[in-house]
């Protein structure tokens, strides 16, 4: 998932979507959409399943309302919450699939494709996707040489948030390289404030730390191979990444004490709450929304971010998450909806409301409501190295659920980073057990 929500969600169906309209803007005042969702579909009914509820559901139903206006179709939205992939599989098995589903786990999409239960993009859906998304994002939606998925909602999981006052007090600036990042963190620690809160108690943030370091030290090809267990976790590239991380973890005063028991929610409060205990927090773009909800800091002013730093000259890179739209019915109506979801017109409706990033290169950055979100979105669309969250692609027992082996092993590593080789061996033993043979 883009952000793991560990609480169960109730399945909700919404009919008769409320009319909400938002417009994108660029320098010319026009959006260059190539959407194929302009044909008349009056009298046709489609269903879409995704995980969103609450405010996210309201924003997405506004997006779907835009499709209804364009085509005359009627769209029903069903929220599957954290159980979206389970719901989709159940509906498929029962012979009643939705027309389109948005799924946050590439592994679940691959399983549907292997059973021929989703369909490759055709017509305007394909041409819009290939025109509006970078090769890196198209590759993420490609299986067996055909494009199946459109990443409608993206996440930037290569972001380090910080309390601007703590950096000022320590006399340091946001870094661009790993060496500068280590130096800056030590300076903050020396000023009397732990530099970094690491919520290893929840497990998944530890996997995200490793993924960002590994991507920058090993490169995209090795990242993808390790994700599929095509190279072992004892590979030298893994040990290099763990060693790099260990050097940071072992620096005196850098990591807030108690990291192995620290939850993600508490880590946000420890940096941006009423009584801050650390200066920085690594995690995704969604932290910005949580900072605002906490009420003390203002995003873009007292709370800011910098991109995860380059290591040994690595190019700009993003570990992403996202909700991938796939067609479960091979009909003109389903493909028309897929084309619409691939278009900047659809993305603009949610982008203008906030709490959303698009990988669509044709969406003007001016559509976003603030400079912080624009910067986050720009990294998503322009980075040459874009990969999907590794642990979300692995078997659930290894990296995709609470108490998964990788979560447990890397949490222990945060607490005791003294032996990267032993940690790599433990990860490989778990992978041999958890990955299909």
């Amino acid at each position: 998932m883009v952000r793991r929500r560990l609480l169960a969600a109730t399945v909700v169906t919404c009919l008769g979507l409320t009319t909400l309209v938002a417009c994108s803007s660029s320098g010319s005042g026009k959006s260059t959409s190539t959407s194929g969702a302009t044909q008349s579909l009056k009298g046709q009914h489609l269903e879409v399943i995704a995980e969103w509820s609450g405010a996210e559901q309201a924003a997405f139903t506004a997006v779907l309302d835009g499709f209804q206006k364009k085509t005359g179709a009627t769209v029903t939205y069903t929220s599957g919450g954290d159980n979206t992939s389970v719901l989709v599989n159940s509906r498929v098995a029962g012979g009643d699939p939705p027309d389109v589903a948005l799924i946050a786990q590439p592994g679940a999409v691959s399983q549907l494709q292997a059973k021929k239960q989703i369909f490759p993009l055709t017509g305007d859906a394909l041409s819009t996707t290939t025109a509006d998304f970078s090769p890196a994002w198209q590759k993420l939606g490609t299986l067996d040489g055909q494009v199946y998925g459109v990443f409608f909602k993206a996440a930037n999981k290569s972001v380090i948030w910080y309390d601007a006052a703590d950096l000022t007090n320590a006399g340091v600036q946001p870094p661009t390289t790993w060496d500068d990042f280590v130096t800056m963190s030590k300076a903050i620690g020396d000023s009397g404030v732990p530099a970094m809160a690491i919520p290893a108690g929840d497990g998944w943030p530890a996997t995200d730390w490793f993924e960002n370091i590994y991507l920058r030290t090993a490169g995209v090809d090795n990242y993808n191979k390790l994700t599929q267990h095509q190279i072992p976790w004892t590979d030298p590239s893994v040990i290099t990444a763990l060693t790099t991380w260990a050097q940071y973890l072992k620096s005196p005063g850098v990591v807030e004490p108690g990291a192995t028991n620290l939850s993600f929610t508490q880590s946000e409060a420890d940096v941006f709450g009423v009584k801050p205990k650390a200066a920085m927090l690594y995690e995704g773009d969604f932290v910005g929304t949580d900072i605002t909800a906490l009420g003390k800091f203002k995003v873009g002013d007292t709370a800011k971010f910098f991109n995860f730093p380059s290591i040994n000259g690595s190019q700009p890179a993003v570990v992403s998450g996202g909700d991938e739209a796939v067609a479960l019915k091979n009909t003109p109506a389903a493909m028309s909806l897929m084309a619409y979801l691939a278009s900047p017109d659809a993305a603009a409706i949610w982008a203008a409301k906030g709490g959303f990033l698009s990988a669509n290169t044709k969406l003007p950055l001016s559509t976003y409501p603030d400079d912080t979100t624009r910067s986050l979105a720009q990294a998503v669309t322009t980075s040459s190295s874009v990969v999907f969250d590794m642990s979300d692609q692995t078997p659930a027992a290894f990296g995709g659920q609470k108490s998964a082996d990788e979560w447990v092993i890397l949490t222990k590593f945060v607490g005791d980073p003294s032996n990267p080789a032993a940690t790599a061996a433990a990860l490989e033993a778990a992978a041999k057990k958890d990955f299909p043979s």
Side-chain angles (χ1 to χ4, degrees):
M1 286 173 276
V2 174
R3 174 179 176 183
R4 294 169 178 85
R5 300 176 178 90
L6 301 177
L7 298 178
T10 302
V11 176
V12 180
T13 301
C14 294
L15 298 168
L17 302 175
T18 302
T19 301
L20 295 170
V21 180
C23 299
S24 66
S25 60
S26 64
S28 64
K30 296 180 180 180
S31 172
T32 55
S33 172
T34 55
S35 170
T38 56
Q39 68 206 72
S40 175
L41 297 174
K42 189 174 182 179
Q44 296 199 42
H45 181 274
L46 298 93
E47 182 187 12
V48 178
I49 292 178
E51 69 171 22
W52 302 306
S53 59
E56 290 182 314
Q57 176 175 318
F60 185 57
T61 55
V63 173
L64 296 178
D65 189 67
F67 178 76
Q68 293 186 119
K69 287 177 176 292
K70 283 177 175 289
T71 64
T74 300
V75 183
T76 297
Y77 172 71
T78 300
S79 173
D82 288 348
N83 297 314
T84 294
S85 61
V86 175
L87 175 61
V88 170
N89 280 313
S90 175
R91 291 282 298 275
V92 170
D96 183 30
D99 296 84
V100 170
L102 290 100
I103 299 173
Q105 298 91 2
V109 172
S110 296
Q111 291 173 355
L112 289 168
Q113 186 268 343
K115 298 177 182 177
K116 302 186 183 305
Q117 293 168 339
I118 57 174
F119 298 91
L121 303 186
T122 57
D124 288 333
L126 178 60
S127 62
T128 301
T129 301
T130 55
D132 291 4
F133 290 78
S134 71
W137 280 98
Q138 292 177 47
K139 185 176 181 180
L140 289 176
T142 298
L143 295 165
D144 294 336
Q146 293 183 292
V147 181
Y148 284 83
V150 174
F151 281 88
F152 175 70
K153 188 175 189 291
N156 182 342
K157 301 185 74 175
S158 296
V159 178
I160 295 176
W161 297 89
Y162 64 92
D163 178 344
D166 284 333
L167 269 67
T168 299
N169 292 339
V172 295
Q173 297 291 325
T176 57
T177 69
W178 181 262
D179 288 343
D180 288 345
F181 174 57
V182 173
T183 299
M184 179 200 73
S185 297
K186 289 179 179 177
I188 294 172
D190 290 342
S191 73
V193 180
M196 183 69 65
I198 299 181
D202 277 345
W204 59 267
T207 70
D208 290 348
W209 265 95
F210 170 80
E211 289 160 9
N212 273 279
I213 295 171
Y214 188 77
L215 174 61
R216 287 158 179 78
T217 55
V220 173
D221 288 345
N222 278 333
Y223 183 101
N224 291 331
K225 289 177 182 177
L226 186 63
T227 299
Q228 302 300 323
H229 200 210
Q230 293 173 355
I231 57 175
W233 282 82
T234 49
D235 188 85
S237 64
V238 175
I239 297 174
T240 294
L242 289 171
T243 300
T244 300
W245 191 16
Q247 292 168 348
Y248 184 80
L249 294 171
K250 290 188 291 186
S251 298
V254 165
V255 179
E256 178 188 358
T260 57
N261 293 312
L262 184 63
S263 71
F264 174 71
T265 300
Q266 186 60 50
S267 73
E268 291 182 307
D270 283 0
V271 179
F272 300 107
V274 176
K275 296 181 179 180
K277 298 179 180 179
M280 297 185 291
L281 172 66
Y282 155 70
E283 254 311 328
D285 59 270
F286 46 78
V287 172
T289 300
D290 296 343
I291 292 172
T292 300
L294 285 167
K296 180 179 178 180
F297 289 76
K298 182 178 180 181
V299 173
D301 182 10
T302 52
K304 299 183 179 182
F305 80 91
F306 55 87
N307 294 322
F308 204 95
S310 168
I311 303 178
N312 298 328
S314 61
Q315 294 301 305
V318 170
V319 175
S320 68
D323 296 272
E324 183 180 6
V326 293
L328 289 101
K329 292 183 181 178
N330 192 17
T331 64
M335 286 299 161
S336 182
L337 179 53
M338 290 291 292
Y340 172 72
L341 292 175
S343 74
D345 288 352
I349 294 173
W350 195 337
K353 297 176 182 296
F356 176 89
L357 296 182
S358 173
N360 194 311
T361 62
K362 300 293 179 63
L363 179 68
L365 290 175
S366 58
T367 309
Y368 294 100
D370 56 76
D371 289 340
T372 298
T373 310
R374 291 196 243 331
S375 297
L376 290 163
Q378 187 172 33
V380 166
T381 56
T382 61
S383 293
S384 57
S385 299
V386 178
V387 296
F388 204 92
D389 183 289
M390 182 185 293
S391 60
D392 277 352
Q393 298 183 72
T394 64
F398 182 78
Q401 63 186 7
K402 189 175 183 179
S403 300
D405 288 330
E406 185 188 9
W407 295 23
V408 172
I409 293 167
L410 290 181
T411 292
K412 291 179 179 178
F413 181 74
V414 171
D416 179 11
S418 61
N419 196 335
T423 296
L427 288 164
E428 175 59 14
K432 285 181 177 178
K433 173 175 63 73
D434 297 332
F435 278 75
S437 55

